[in-house]
Amino acid sequence: MKILLLKFSLLLLLMTALLNKADAQFDISGTVKNERGEPLTGVTVAVKNTNTGTTTDADGKYNIHVSTASAKLEFSYVGFRTEEKTVSSSSAIDLTMVETSSDLEEVIVSGLATTVKRSNSANAVAEVSSKELTGITTPSTFDAALQGKFAGVQITQNSGAPGGGINVRMRGLTSINAPAQPLYIIDGVYVDNTSVSAGLATVSKSAAGGNTAFYNQDNPSNRIADLDPGDFQSVEILKGASAAAIYGSRAAGGVVIITTKRGREVSGAPQISFSQTLGWQQILNPLGVRDWDTAKVAATYGEGEVQNFLDAKSSGHYYDYENELYGNHGLISDSRLSISSGNDKTAFYASGFHRDESGIVENTGYVKTGLRLNVNHEISNNLELSVSSNYIKSSADRGYFGNDNSNTTMSIALAFTPSWAELHPNPDGSYPNNLYNPSNFLQTAALITNNEAVDRFIFGGTLTAKILNTEKNSLKLILQGGLDDYALRTTAIFPQELQFEKDGNGTNGASIQGTTGTFNNNESAILVHVFYAPKVTFRTQAGLARESFTRNTIINTATQLITGQTNVSQAGSVSIYQFRSLQLDFGGFAQEEVNWDDRIIATLGFRADKSSNDFDPNKLYYYPKASLAINFAEFDFWQSNAITLIKPRIAYGQSGNFPVFGSQFTNLGQVIIDNSAGLLVNSALGNDSIGPERQKELEFGLDLGFLNDKITLEATYYKKEVDDMFIVVQVPFSSGFTSQVSNAASLENKGIELGLGTELIKSKNFEWNNRINFWLNRSKITRLDVPAFTLGGFGASLGTFYIDTGKSATQLVGVGPDSLKGEGNEYVVYGDFEPRFQMTFYEDFRFKNWELTFLFHWKRGGEGANLTNLLSDFGGTSHDYDDLTLDPAGETPNGPYRIGQYLGGLSASPFIESTGYVRLREIGLYYTFDSKSLAGKTNGIVKGARIGLAARNPLNWFKYNSYDPEVSNFVNSGLASGVEVNPFPSAKQFYASVNFNF
């Protein structure tokens, strides 16, 4: 009997517990809208500290099950302030979410397959939304859209030609002799950003003297320019090793993570958007031409030229050739169409665009067309598939500009041509010879071809399998894969009738045609486990990754063309250059993230990589990371209503840069001996111990939020050390070789980044939001296993970089009065390419239906070598040739002064100039029509419309004595900036646009 009573009592207790548990379970439902009363689709509704969550449907409705007696519901949505509601029984909770400009609500990357809300992040990760990226103007290339949008990033152009050509540097110099561009990832796909020479040096002889180390001075575009920023939802920048360590040996230059737009569940018909932009571009900063008179003509060209000058003046054949070459107002047309739709199982986003822009120089321009299809599909309750696909076709006509040693590029020919020269075509269409230079640049502009054409396909897919999915645990297997496949065709044709090609000149006609085939693919498998303990969340991820990169470039150069022919087979001399590379990388990674109720957030992880580019392809290199953030405002003791966020943070990480392809091997070169082909060992010795460049970074930060985060401040200090840097070192001649790539240097970068964001005014009819960024960086060479050396310019007489222990890695030096000539490598330091600091001011005003947005960029200091004026000095045509602003004695005009300083080896000071500026990067004024009124007037066909005017770089203030302080002659190297030689000038652009939503 006692046993029966005991069993019955236990049964009653169990039933009571079950009944109590059943009583504790309840459902919450409701509707989520914005402040205008419009339903919000896709709002995440989650039971905090559990794996329970849902999203709102097309009508903004949700329903969620709560299995405890009480809980906190968290409502989060991009661009809106996160809200929390405490619930304890079944009820309907409707919510109005408030839009915010604060970036604390953004979700940013925390691992290869995980994200974190910015307010919980221990790293300084910059993010730009689609509105900031392309909402003001529609730049032709993605990298141009980034300019001025991120703290800690320095962007320079290698050419102002249509189609791009930009160098991005994050938190200072990270490599000297190797490429140091960021790693670009779009929807999980590693995309290529190579710049490929078109082989113009055959005609220009640009590498024939001065700086032969930089073989690539063709001013090519870089392949990241192919991407269309109009399809991007957001862009995140992992600037330092502490954030980028999870990407290991490919992250030394930082990581740019791009997320494209995707479809979502909608009620009714698909959402269709169409926009059309029309505009033009014109030269950004025309310099003007020299104001000639008879005395100046006689002094420059001799007395015999005076009559030609007078005849041209009297007959009206006196020209502003700068305006004739660069004065084209190139038209711009940008058309875009997108369709988005979805249901509870499948969503898609499809888009297409076509951009056609003419350059500021005749017969230059850029045409690009793209198609995108993104699909999300829920295969089952536990299996989801996400697919991204993008096809791009582009063609860029880039002209013929920059440094040369044949006086044939259009910009250098302009420098040697006076205003009374007659270059215009004769009645029969033929062009006269330029009597003052080997090239008639008007003829060159009309007849040459320098085209880059690209066909590119980018595809990525993610398969997510929910292996375990309970209230307290979730385990997902994430399989990712992507490919980037493109064909680049370069075509450079210099017809025989060109002045510098005919009559036995030059190459007697040249056809240089290249093809580059690139196929890159990456795959990864990642397990992500999340355990929800009371108030603490543990998130673990581990995985394997494989990346493969192949490239095959073939350039066929045909010279001595048969009359009227352009095929490479129709020539008297044909040469072929081929470059092939294959790189295969493997990596493994693990990371643990711990979040104690949004109060303390800690991360610990590492990555291990090996690569075929290392001498030992099976050796693993390890890259650890760790971070900690404490959010004091989330603790119960914090009672301040004014300060709503106070979060100190610290982070440490390491990343790397693989050796340049082939540096581990001693290569063989072609040779002809007694009319027989053979191979000889090249002069560069392979390195049997070469390994990756390695950097480690310690980052400290403090994030503050005031008045419910209407005012936010982000402050970061970092110290980044780069070890085992690649240096091309000399080896003893007794070895039979001359040079070798070696891990022979180290440098240090230190910097500060500050960001202030405010919602200054927010009312029904008026809003004012702004964001101010400030950043600076200082570098220092801390180890150098070789003697100090110059690099990156055309010699100490003109200004060059100087790599020396204990000195800035970007210092510019040259000869000067205090130089110790002939007594070692002692030079005068004239400046530093690194700016003193940079600031940007982003302002967004809304008054009723009007919106005004603009971005100012202030770059203080930073020096560069301006060699454009020296060349026009030699031609006697410099716009400031007769000014008296350089000579301290005020006696010698600028032109003769610069020439004298150079030829006499006296001083490089006239060529080192400040590249600082204040620039209105973008400005736009837009009017948005009332959607309800518009829908009523169009029978519901048009659901929204927006019209506006915008401009890019319309206002510029700088003292730099050339076309643009942001342009550089060299590409494809870490130290490839800061030297200008007669570039294709930059342009400013003006737009009118209209957008319709259906």
Side-chain angles (χ1 to χ4, degrees):
M1 177 62 72
K2 291 182 179 179
I3 295 176
L4 289 175
L5 288 174
L6 179 60
K7 290 182 177 180
F8 183 70
S9 299
L10 290 173
L11 181 61
L12 286 176
L13 288 173
L14 178 61
M15 292 178 65
T16 302
L18 290 172
L19 288 172
N20 288 338
K21 184 176 181 180
D23 289 341
Q25 299 183 33
F26 55 91
D27 291 329
I28 299 292
S29 61
T31 303
V32 182
K33 299 180 179 181
N34 60 22
E35 294 173 288
R36 296 180 295 277
E38 301 165 336
L40 294 176
T41 304
V43 176
T44 298
V45 185
V47 179
K48 197 169 183 180
N49 295 321
T50 73
N51 191 37
T52 303
T54 187
T55 58
T56 57
D57 61 18
D59 298 317
K61 298 183 180 299
Y62 72 93
N63 184 280
I64 190 168
H65 181 73
V66 180
S67 60
T68 56
S70 63
K72 279 187 177 181
L73 293 186
E74 185 176 70
F75 299 80
S76 59
Y77 194 57
V78 175
F80 289 77
R81 185 169 289 117
T82 298
E83 304 283 353
E84 290 186 0
K85 296 289 184 181
T86 301
V87 295
S88 58
S89 62
S90 295
S91 62
I93 295 183
D94 296 330
L95 184 68
T96 298
M97 298 192 72
V98 178
E99 293 185 66
T100 178
S101 62
S102 170
D103 58 7
L104 294 175
E105 304 297 333
E106 296 171 349
V107 175
I108 58 177
V109 168
S110 64
L112 279 171
T114 56
T115 58
V116 65
K117 193 165 69 171
R118 178 181 293 279
S119 59
N120 290 336
S121 174
N123 292 104
V125 177
E127 183 177 31
V128 166
S129 66
S130 59
K131 177 183 177 181
E132 295 176 55
L133 196 67
T134 59
I136 306 176
T137 63
T138 55
S140 58
T141 64
F142 164 56
D143 39 13
L146 295 179
Q147 290 182 310
K149 307 287 176 66
F150 297 98
V153 180
Q154 185 174 4
I155 298 177
T156 55
Q157 298 176 250
N158 65 60
S159 175
I166 286 181
N167 185 5
V168 178
R169 181 181 294 175
M170 299 185 186
R171 287 187 173 176
L173 184 72
T174 56
S175 187
I176 293 175
N177 282 124
Q181 290 285 327
L183 169 63
Y184 292 88
I185 301 175
I186 178 169
D187 291 336
V189 182
Y190 288 44
V191 292
D192 183 83
N193 188 32
T194 302
S195 296
V196 179
S197 168
L200 303 182
T202 299
V203 177
S204 70
K205 311 298 181 185
S206 59
N211 192 326
T212 58
F214 287 87
Y215 62 90
N216 187 356
Q217 298 182 58
D218 290 350
N219 298 326
S221 63
N222 49 325
R223 295 279 53 86
I224 207 67
D226 297 333
L227 303 182
D228 172 38
D231 277 338
F232 297 169
Q233 182 64 41
S234 64
V235 176
E236 295 178 50
I237 302 287
L238 310 184
K239 293 172 285 190
S242 58
I246 201 70
Y247 294 93
S249 293
R250 301 195 69 85
V255 183
V256 179
I257 300 175
I258 303 164
T259 303
T260 61
K261 297 175 181 177
R262 311 198 73 86
R264 62 186 184 186
E265 183 180 356
V266 299
S267 59
Q271 297 177 346
I272 301 174
S273 177
F274 173 76
S275 66
Q276 177 64 57
T277 297
L278 297 174
W280 78 90
Q281 57 184 335
Q282 63 190 63
I283 185 171
L284 182 129
N285 182 49
L287 300 178
V289 296
R290 186 180 182 187
D291 185 15
W292 294 94
D293 58 31
T294 55
K296 296 174 184 176
V297 173
T300 305
Y301 292 98
E303 292 290 345
E305 191 66 27
V306 173
Q307 191 59 49
N308 293 332
F309 164 71
L310 293 175
D311 291 343
K313 274 278 193 176
S314 62
S315 63
H317 292 174
Y318 186 85
Y319 307 104
D320 180 348
Y321 275 123
E322 181 191 59
N323 182 63
E324 293 209 24
L325 183 59
Y326 301 133
N328 188 41
H329 284 199
L331 297 181
I332 301 172
S333 173
D334 191 290
S335 306
R336 297 171 183 273
L337 176 68
S338 67
I339 303 174
S340 176
S341 187
N343 53 36
D344 59 345
K345 293 291 184 183
T346 305
F348 75 89
Y349 171 85
S351 70
F353 77 92
H354 178 77
R355 185 180 181 93
D356 188 346
E357 65 175 74
S358 299
I360 62 173
V361 175
E362 181 185 4
N363 294 326
T364 64
Y366 187 44
V367 179
K368 182 164 64 174
T369 303
L371 298 172
R372 171 172 294 280
L373 177 61
N374 292 350
V375 178
N376 292 351
H377 178 62
E378 185 179 313
I379 301 173
S380 66
N381 289 336
N382 296 313
L383 199 61
E384 297 177 359
L385 177 65
S386 174
V387 174
S388 301
S389 59
N390 189 201
Y391 171 74
I392 307 115
K393 184 179 182 65
S394 68
S395 175
D397 291 304
R398 300 178 61 80
Y400 180 44
F401 290 88
N403 178 48
D404 76 24
N405 288 292
S406 61
N407 278 12
T408 57
T409 61
M410 289 187 272
S411 51
I412 291 181
L414 171 67
F416 286 85
T417 303
S419 299
W420 60 91
E422 184 52 73
L423 305 183
H424 297 86
N426 299 314
D428 63 357
S430 64
Y431 284 83
N433 285 347
N434 185 345
L435 301 179
Y436 307 89
N437 185 263
S439 169
N440 179 334
F441 53 82
L442 296 184
Q443 180 192 43
T444 305
L447 299 184
I448 69 107
T449 298
N450 178 21
N451 179 266
E452 294 180 351
V454 177
D455 282 278
R456 189 169 192 173
F457 182 67
I458 301 173
F459 177 85
T462 301
L463 183 66
T464 303
K466 299 177 182 178
I467 300 173
L468 178 65
N469 193 30
T470 67
E471 183 178 358
K472 295 297 183 182
N473 284 276
S474 73
L475 178 63
K476 295 180 180 180
L477 172 62
I478 301 173
L479 302 177
Q480 289 184 328
L483 62 88
D484 178 15
D485 182 19
Y486 71 79
L488 166 67
R489 296 174 300 280
T490 59
T491 304
I493 297 175
F494 297 86
Q496 279 182 318
E497 58 263 42
L498 291 171
Q499 178 182 341
F500 56 86
E501 292 291 304
K502 67 182 180 181
D503 300 329
N505 294 325
T507 63
N508 198 34
S511 179
I512 309 165
Q513 302 190 32
T515 59
T516 295
T518 299
F519 184 85
N520 302 333
N521 60 286
N522 62 279
E523 302 85 29
S524 61
I526 308 168
L527 280 171
V528 180
H529 176 257
V530 183
F531 174 66
Y532 299 91
K535 292 186 177 296
V536 182
T537 301
F538 299 88
R539 182 164 55 181
T540 309
Q541 63 174 303
L544 298 172
R546 174 188 178 275
E547 296 101 30
S548 174
F549 305 89
T550 61
R551 172 187 161 192
N552 185 11
T553 295
I554 300 175
I555 298 179
N556 298 286
T557 301
T559 56
Q560 307 300 320
L561 291 179
I562 298 172
T563 302
Q565 301 301 305
T566 58
N567 286 357
V568 292
S569 60
Q570 304 296 316
S573 175
V574 177
S575 63
I576 300 175
Y577 163 84
Q578 183 172 15
F579 173 82
R580 293 189 298 168
S581 67
L582 170 62
Q583 181 174 344
L584 185 61
D585 306 332
F586 286 96
F589 52 90
Q591 180 171 292
E592 181 69 32
E593 299 170 75
V594 181
N595 183 332
W596 175 39
D597 203 25
D598 292 345
R599 299 175 179 180
I600 300 177
I601 304 95
T603 302
L604 186 66
F606 78 95
R607 176 159 178 147
D609 277 340
K610 62 180 182 178
S611 172
S612 61
N613 271 22
D614 297 320
F615 181 78
D616 183 354
N618 293 313
K619 181 178 180 179
L620 288 171
Y621 292 87
Y622 296 91
Y623 303 95
K625 63 175 293 187
S627 64
L628 176 68
I630 303 176
N631 196 342
F632 287 105
E634 295 293 329
F635 284 86
D636 294 336
F637 64 77
W638 192 265
Q639 300 297 321
S640 173
N641 293 323
I643 303 177
T644 48
L645 173 69
I646 177 168
K647 184 186 69 176
R649 48 185 169 81
I650 183 173
Y652 173 83
Q654 296 184 12
S655 62
N657 190 22
F658 288 118
V660 177
F661 177 80
S663 57
Q664 71 269 50
F665 302 118
T666 302
N667 297 318
L668 300 176
Q670 178 188 7
V671 67
I672 302 294
I673 300 177
D674 292 335
N675 296 321
S676 297
L679 295 174
L680 279 181
V681 176
N682 279 333
S683 60
L685 176 64
N687 190 336
D688 61 2
S689 62
I690 194 75
E693 293 179 327
R694 298 176 60 84
Q695 62 176 254
K696 52 187 176 182
E697 182 183 72
L698 185 62
E699 177 184 291
F700 300 91
L702 176 65
D703 298 336
L704 299 173
F706 305 92
L707 304 178
N708 202 18
D709 300 333
K710 289 184 177 181
I711 301 174
T712 61
L713 175 66
E714 180 181 291
T716 301
Y717 168 80
Y718 63 86
K719 179 182 178 182
K720 178 165 61 176
E721 299 176 357
V722 186
D723 296 320
D724 297 332
M725 297 182 69
F726 305 130
I727 299 292
V728 179
V729 303
Q730 292 182 343
V731 296
F733 291 130
S734 59
S735 67
F737 299 91
T738 60
S739 64
Q740 182 185 57
V741 178
S742 179
N743 299 110
S746 300
L747 71 79
E748 174 185 88
N749 285 288
K750 295 180 180 179
I752 297 172
E753 297 167 358
L754 302 174
L756 175 66
T758 58
E759 293 181 4
L760 294 173
I761 300 175
K762 186 176 178 64
S763 64
K764 180 179 180 181
N765 291 325
F766 184 69
E767 294 183 21
W768 179 12
N769 302 313
N770 86 330
R771 186 177 64 255
I772 301 172
N773 288 324
F774 171 93
W775 68 99
L776 59 83
N777 181 82
R778 299 290 181 264
S779 67
K780 181 174 67 174
I781 298 292
T782 56
R783 166 186 150 230
L784 193 60
D785 297 344
V786 297
F789 60 92
T790 59
L791 182 69
F794 294 96
S797 295
L798 298 171
T800 185
F801 292 101
Y802 188 53
I803 307 302
D804 192 8
T805 306
K807 304 297 177 59
S808 168
T810 51
Q811 65 174 342
L812 278 162
V813 306
V815 297
D818 300 324
S819 298
L820 301 179
K821 301 183 182 68
E823 299 180 18
N825 294 322
E826 297 288 339
Y827 300 103
V828 175
V829 177
Y830 286 107
D832 197 301
F833 179 70
E834 192 74 54
R836 309 299 184 271
F837 64 81
Q838 295 191 69
M839 291 187 72
T840 58
F841 304 83
Y842 177 86
E843 307 289 342
D844 185 15
F845 300 88
R846 183 189 63 82
F847 176 69
K848 295 185 177 179
N849 291 31
W850 291 94
E851 186 173 14
L852 173 66
T853 309
F854 56 85
L855 174 67
F856 270 104
H857 188 174
W858 178 18
K859 176 172 172 275
R860 178 74 170 87
E863 283 73 41
N866 175 7
L867 308 185
T868 295
N869 291 317
L870 179 63
L871 289 167
S872 57
D873 289 339
F874 282 124
T877 64
S878 300
H879 66 284
D880 67 338
Y881 190 96
D882 304 299
D883 295 344
L884 295 170
T885 56
L886 294 178
D887 181 10
E891 298 175 354
T892 306
N894 289 356
Y897 182 80
R898 282 188 291 251
I899 293 174
Q901 294 292 301
Y902 168 62
L903 294 180
L906 301 176
S907 176
S909 61
F911 315 109
I912 308 298
E913 298 184 25
S914 171
T915 60
Y917 56 77
V918 174
R919 172 166 287 171
L920 180 57
R921 287 272 182 204
E922 297 177 276
I923 184 169
L925 177 64
Y926 291 90
Y927 182 84
T928 302
F929 292 90
D930 182 80
S931 57
K932 292 182 179 179
S933 175
L934 195 64
K937 293 179 180 178
T938 61
N939 294 322
I941 297 176
V942 180
K943 299 178 180 178
R946 187 174 185 246
I947 60 173
L949 301 173
R952 184 172 185 82
N953 295 329
L955 299 175
N956 303 270
W957 296 269
F958 53 80
K959 294 182 179 180
Y960 187 72
N961 192 25
S962 189
Y963 294 107
D964 188 354
E966 285 188 324
V967 172
S968 180
N969 186 64
F970 299 119
V971 294
N972 282 349
S973 176
L975 202 58
S977 299
V979 180
E980 179 203 309
V981 186
N982 292 75
F984 190 118
S986 300
K988 48 188 174 183
Q989 301 173 332
F990 302 87
Y991 303 95
S993 65
V994 60
N995 175 267
F996 294 100
N997 295 319
F998 303 96

